[in-house]
Amino acid sequence: MKSIHKKLVSVLLICAMTTGGAVAVRQCTAALQEQEDSSAEEPGTSGGTAAGQDSSEALSDELPAADAAYQSAATDLIFWYEDESYRDFFEAAALRYFRKTGIKAAAVCRDTMDYIGEVYDGTMQDTVYPDLYLISGQDLEEAYLYGLVSVNGTDTDGLGIAENAIAASTCAGKLLGYPLSYNVCVFIYQNGYFDSVPESLQSLISYANENEPGENVEYLLEWDVNDPFYDFPFVSNCVSFEKSGTGSMNVVYDEELYAKDMEYFEQILESFSVNAATVSEDEIVDNFLAGRTLCAIVDSDLLYRLEGYSYSLTKIPDLNEELAASTGALTDMIAVNPYSKQEAAAADFARFVTVDFAGELYKMTGHMPVIPSKDIAWTEQVSYEAYVSAVPAPNSRDAKDFWVRLEETISKYF
């Protein structure tokens, strides 16, 4: 599930909670015990993806002595993250950093509905709180307004960080986050059907009208219509985000284009036969691998599941000759807590993870790094090109309202 969709669910759940139902803050000893239990496993064996297995095993072989010393050392830094798929990467990064500096960073996965709220409550109450934490760019402004983000003083010149990553990590004119990974929608299609790259979604309909697909093909195009991240390309040409100051954002629509987009969206649903009641990311990938789906809109985080399968990949095509389409760009980054008693060490660890160790990211997690690898694979290259030309998801608190409204609008067509 995309972080956008997860956060929409969280917003609805939090709104349904009673006023006094604050999320309990775990005790520090429990959080650290959880980390010790999970870190006792070798990197690459604790719930990571198949994409990172080989890399994780190599790192595990390389660092056995550091692993033992790491386990027995006192914790210097607490690092929080929400997404379990990062576990192997962050644990390996912590081991490598410990070997380099002797500083132990304990990486703790926090699966909670109110992530930023827990960071704030723990920090203000001086109970358990992270020295640094992974955050989505969409939440950067909220964290900034809470006073939970230090300025990133890294000189980014020469690092090769994508401009969209820098933009996503900037708030109130200051570079705050340490950008790590990105996610965008891309277009995949089966080999052997098209003479050239499909130029538009309309061309898919034309192809289907003129050709008989294989016996096994059931779907012309699939995407997760229940997730607004995947639906954004259908309205991307008619919407813009204008900041009117920190804490305030206006969503501006071109009403004429919006009407055309929605009219087109309604028309193509009949051609693509998307079942909103059953569609899911996993089902789409499974259908594509089985040859049941001819084309699909997926996010770049899912491409590792297609490794070893022969297919074609490109950026999101336009809707038709008149209506353009773009993907939204999500960026994950590390934020340093200014209340950390080890702020300088936390900043150094953040830079180590996002710059020095970023080359291990895709191999271990399937997430795409904002700093492209030196020996970049073709899937990474196409995804990276889609990212740098994408529309950055706004890092304003108001942005959540936009995604909720988009999800509600699309749901009316099913």
Side-chain angles (χ1 to χ4, degrees):
M1 179 182 291
K2 295 275 63 55
S3 59
I4 283 179
H5 203 227
K6 178 181 178 182
K7 292 181 186 303
L8 291 181
V9 174
S10 298
V11 168
L12 296 175
L13 289 173
I14 290 172
C15 289
M17 294 172 66
T18 58
T19 304
V23 179
V25 179
R26 299 179 188 174
Q27 295 300 313
C28 183
T29 53
L32 291 177
Q33 182 61 50
E34 175 187 339
Q35 167 59 26
E36 293 299 327
D37 292 342
S38 62
S39 295
E41 303 179 47
E42 293 181 348
T45 63
S46 55
T49 66
Q53 189 172 13
D54 293 341
S55 178
S56 299
E57 289 175 353
L59 286 167
S60 179
D61 292 341
E62 178 186 343
L63 303 174
D67 190 8
Y70 177 91
Q71 297 302 330
S72 61
T75 296
D76 301 297
L77 299 171
I78 298 177
F79 171 53
W80 283 5
Y81 61 99
E82 284 187 283
D83 189 339
E84 176 73 19
S85 65
Y86 282 104
R87 180 182 292 273
D88 288 349
F89 173 76
F90 288 141
E91 290 182 354
L95 281 173
R96 180 71 66 82
Y97 188 72
F98 178 78
R99 185 188 191 197
K100 176 184 177 182
T101 66
I103 296 174
K104 177 178 178 177
V108 182
C109 186
R110 305 282 291 195
D111 186 8
T112 173
M113 291 186 298
D114 190 18
Y115 183 65
I116 300 299
E118 285 200 18
V119 175
Y120 178 79
D121 289 343
T123 300
M124 294 300 103
Q125 297 168 13
D126 198 20
T127 52
V128 51
Y129 63 90
D131 297 280
L132 65 167
Y133 53 99
L134 188 71
I135 188 175
S136 167
Q138 302 169 91
D139 295 325
L140 181 61
E141 183 177 88
E142 181 179 3
Y144 171 74
L145 293 174
Y146 272 128
L148 296 174
V149 189
S150 293
V151 172
N152 178 356
T154 301
D155 182 1
T156 58
D157 292 343
L159 295 180
I161 301 175
E163 290 185 9
N164 264 352
I166 297 297
S169 306
T170 300
C171 184
K174 305 171 185 176
L175 179 62
L176 302 178
Y178 294 75
L180 174 64
S181 67
Y182 69 84
N183 197 5
V184 292
C185 285
V186 290
F187 185 81
I188 59 175
Y189 59 98
Q190 302 284 358
N191 290 336
Y193 283 91
F194 303 99
D195 295 329
S196 60
V197 178
E199 296 181 354
S200 68
L201 298 187
Q202 187 63 41
S203 69
L204 302 183
I205 299 174
S206 299
Y207 172 86
N209 291 336
E210 299 169 1
N211 298 272
E212 191 70 29
E215 289 184 11
N216 193 40
V217 176
E218 299 178 17
Y219 304 101
L220 180 59
L221 173 69
E222 280 196 298
W223 75 97
D224 188 352
V225 296
N226 299 311
D227 192 326
F229 182 62
Y230 294 104
D231 296 322
F232 179 76
F234 294 94
V235 298
S236 60
N237 59 22
C238 70
V239 63
S240 59
F241 307 103
E242 297 181 356
K243 291 287 291 182
S244 54
T246 304
S248 179
M249 181 195 74
N250 296 321
V251 181
V252 181
Y253 291 92
D254 182 316
E255 296 297 339
E256 182 178 354
L257 273 177
Y258 179 75
K260 291 180 178 180
D261 286 341
M262 290 296 97
E263 181 181 0
Y264 182 79
F265 184 80
E266 186 173 16
Q267 291 174 354
I268 64 173
L269 287 180
E270 299 178 6
S271 300
F272 296 149
S273 303
V274 179
N275 189 337
T278 61
V279 70
S280 68
E281 293 175 342
D282 288 338
E283 180 192 48
I284 290 170
V285 174
D286 290 343
N287 285 341
F288 188 81
L289 288 172
R292 291 188 292 268
T293 295
L294 189 60
C295 308
I297 296 173
V298 299
D299 66 79
S300 53
D301 276 352
L302 292 177
L303 292 181
Y304 77 90
R305 291 188 54 186
L306 301 178
E307 289 185 359
Y309 185 79
S310 179
Y311 69 104
S312 294
L313 169 69
T314 186
K315 68 176 184 178
I316 296 294
D318 291 336
L319 305 183
N320 57 26
E321 292 182 355
E322 180 186 4
L323 302 174
S326 299
T327 180
L330 301 177
T331 306
D332 280 351
M333 62 197 67
I334 294 177
V336 172
N337 191 336
Y339 290 91
S340 169
K341 297 177 178 63
Q342 300 277 354
E343 187 177 353
D348 189 64
F349 180 64
R351 188 192 186 285
F352 174 81
V353 173
T354 57
V355 177
D356 300 339
F357 202 66
E360 304 293 333
L361 182 66
Y362 179 70
K363 293 181 288 185
M364 298 188 71
T365 69
H367 295 296
M368 299 291 183
V370 299
I371 302 177
S373 306
K374 293 180 180 179
D375 54 344
I376 189 169
W378 70 275
T379 51
E380 293 179 77
Q381 181 64 49
V382 175
S383 297
Y384 185 78
E385 291 171 357
Y387 176 62
V388 298
S389 63
V391 178
N395 61 9
S396 170
R397 294 186 300 176
D398 297 339
K400 293 178 182 178
D401 293 334
F402 166 76
W403 296 113
V404 169
R405 289 196 300 270
L406 178 57
E407 183 175 34
E408 292 174 345
T409 298
I410 296 301
S411 67
K412 294 177 182 178
Y413 291 88
F414 295 95

